[in-house]
Amino acid sequence: MLIIGVDYHPSFQQISFMDQETGECGDRRLNHSDGEAERFYTELKQRGANVRVGMEATGHSRWFERLLAELGFELWTGDPAEIKRQRGRKQKTDREDGRLLLRLLLENRFPRIWTPNPENRDLRQLLWHRHRLVQMRTRIMNQLQAVAMNEGYRWKKKLFSAPGRTLLEKLSLAPWASRRRKELLELLDQLDPKIAELTRAVEQEAAKWPAVVRLMTHPGVGPITGLVYILVIGTPERFPSGKKIGSYTGLNPSENSSAGQQRLGHISKQGNSLLRYLLGEAAQAAARCNPDWRRRYVHLTMRRGKRIAKVAMARKLAVRLYWMWRNGWQYAQLVEFGSHAGKLGTVHGVK
């Protein structure tokens, strides 16, 4: 088997390789723009080589992953933090990185991680696209609020109702301010139907996933939050307990403890940023509509403050959704079994 360690960059890749049958090894730099990398791997396929490629998890590499899949090569994706931890020397170069990846592959110490399938990744594009458009719309609406407040009007949400928009359009403004208002309203009119169309697409996709439908029975959880949760987590069997979910989503506190003294910092934010944001929004929605969640949220707010309470409720929601998914429960069953959800799944025959 030909083992290749790839230090991937958007414009090129530095590889270190070793043929386990012949003992041949070496280093090589492959450019992407002129097709050199594609030709290299295609030639390996034509020679009938059995190839395993190892690389760190990184962005802008979808075309490369698709190429290896089409050629039938095995791709292992590694955890960048774990790989960095195993770099003993302080000298860091692209060649040394490639050799490190190769060494980890040969010594069976490569920290391989789970990777989503192409369908999963494409659905994430839908959710990210909608999220970015919503952010753009929010910025436009904030600018329109600023235009109104500069004229002495503070209408808040009423500004975007039919009467509020009519009043906004009637404001007497200077020429450039008037043009700004006109073009912002045009952009807002363009974004609204696009976001509505994407929202309908998300709802249709969510209805196809039984697990998402079950998660939506939890207060505050809608199709967007449920679908993102399923796509990012992948499968509940990846995690032995709910505590690991808090760490994976980046909602656990960073820690620097030693000699019996515990030092906790801010949350790690090491997980998917979209999922973390949606969990926070869903937890606050649950606190508004569900008495039990409201009581817990108010209690935490009084003890620790609003910011910490929001994070704690988001982490609690992430863990609850994990147990609902793992045991195949709806929210009513989770409430019935309480904190022993993880132990009672098989006892009650619902798993």
Side-chain angles (χ1 to χ4, degrees):
M1 174 177 281
L2 180 63
I3 307 296
I4 304 177
V6 176
D7 182 35
Y8 185 91
H9 298 268
S11 58
F12 71 95
Q13 56 182 268
Q14 179 71 37
I15 69 170
S16 295
F17 60 88
M18 179 175 181
D19 192 328
Q20 291 182 311
E21 295 180 359
T22 64
E24 179 186 0
C25 58
D27 305 299
R28 185 171 174 180
R29 177 187 170 115
L30 303 174
N31 292 321
H32 296 160
S33 57
D34 59 1
E36 182 183 8
E38 189 172 353
R39 289 193 300 271
F40 173 79
Y41 291 102
T42 303
E43 290 173 2
L44 292 179
K45 178 64 175 180
Q46 293 172 351
R47 286 161 42 189
N50 188 15
V51 179
R52 176 181 295 164
V53 177
M55 60 180 287
E56 292 184 3
T58 183
H60 314 295
S61 63
R62 196 155 303 164
W63 72 270
F64 180 57
E65 297 171 15
R66 186 166 55 248
L67 171 65
L68 296 180
E70 292 172 354
L71 296 175
F73 294 164
E74 188 177 3
L75 174 63
W76 286 16
T77 304
D79 183 354
E82 290 294 331
I83 293 173
K84 182 179 180 180
R85 217 174 274 130
Q86 299 186 66
R87 184 186 297 118
R89 303 179 62 184
K90 292 187 177 181
Q91 290 78 14
K92 182 187 182 300
T93 63
D94 294 337
R95 179 174 295 180
E96 289 297 327
D97 287 344
R99 291 176 177 176
L100 171 63
L101 293 169
L102 176 62
R103 185 168 65 252
L104 295 177
L105 287 166
L106 293 173
E107 297 174 357
N108 293 323
R109 295 191 295 117
F110 190 81
R112 191 179 183 185
I113 60 175
W114 173 84
T115 54
N117 58 38
E119 293 77 16
N120 184 311
R121 290 184 170 182
D122 193 48
L123 274 178
R124 293 191 191 196
Q125 292 298 309
L126 164 64
L127 294 157
W128 269 113
H129 183 45
R130 182 194 175 279
H131 181 64
R132 294 305 186 196
L133 290 184
V134 170
Q135 288 181 323
M136 292 169 60
R137 182 176 64 180
T138 301
R139 294 189 184 101
I140 291 172
M141 294 170 72
N142 289 341
Q143 291 185 62
L144 289 170
Q145 288 281 7
V147 170
M149 286 192 291
N150 279 330
E151 300 303 317
Y153 299 96
R154 192 162 184 259
W155 294 321
K156 298 184 179 180
K157 293 182 179 180
K158 295 180 181 179
L159 179 65
F160 303 104
S161 63
R165 174 155 180 166
T166 301
L167 292 173
L168 178 62
E169 292 174 341
K170 290 181 178 179
L171 290 178
S172 178
L173 301 176
W176 284 110
S178 177
R179 176 173 175 174
R180 181 190 182 195
R181 173 186 58 188
K182 176 177 175 295
E183 294 183 353
L184 287 173
L185 288 172
E186 290 175 352
L187 289 173
L188 187 62
D189 291 337
Q190 294 174 13
L191 285 176
D192 281 337
K194 294 181 184 294
I195 294 173
E197 179 184 356
L198 294 173
T199 302
R200 288 193 296 271
V202 172
E203 292 172 350
Q204 292 171 2
E205 289 293 337
K208 299 177 183 177
W209 296 67
V212 177
V213 175
R214 286 195 298 271
L215 296 187
M216 288 169 57
T217 62
H218 194 291
V221 177
I224 297 174
T225 304
L227 188 57
V228 171
Y229 189 90
I230 294 293
L231 293 177
V232 172
I233 300 303
T235 170
E237 284 72 23
R238 294 173 56 205
F239 304 92
S241 66
K243 290 183 179 180
K244 299 296 182 181
I245 290 290
S247 176
Y248 187 76
T249 55
L251 291 168
N252 63 321
S254 57
E255 184 172 3
N256 185 21
S257 301
S258 180
Q261 184 173 1
Q262 187 180 40
R263 301 180 183 89
L264 299 179
H266 299 291
I267 59 174
S268 64
K269 296 186 179 180
Q270 290 184 316
N272 184 281
S273 59
L274 177 58
L275 176 59
R276 188 165 53 252
Y277 167 79
L278 291 174
L279 286 172
E281 294 294 306
Q284 293 180 67
R288 288 192 296 268
C289 67
N290 184 271
D292 180 58
W293 276 76
R294 187 183 307 114
R295 177 181 57 81
R296 294 171 183 270
Y297 175 69
V298 171
H299 180 67
L300 280 171
T301 302
M302 295 175 62
R303 288 181 55 240
R304 304 298 303 275
K306 184 178 293 187
R307 293 169 58 186
I308 294 179
K310 288 180 179 179
V311 174
M313 297 304 290
R315 182 167 58 245
K316 184 177 185 64
L317 176 62
V319 175
R320 282 195 164 198
L321 294 180
Y322 164 77
W323 285 118
M324 287 175 61
W325 185 12
R326 181 167 179 172
N327 294 325
W329 290 347
Q330 295 190 359
Y331 178 67
Q333 293 171 295
L334 179 71
V335 172
E336 177 184 356
F337 299 138
S339 60
H340 300 287
K343 300 178 181 179
L344 296 179
T346 53
V347 173
H348 288 264
V350 259
K351 189 171 179 179

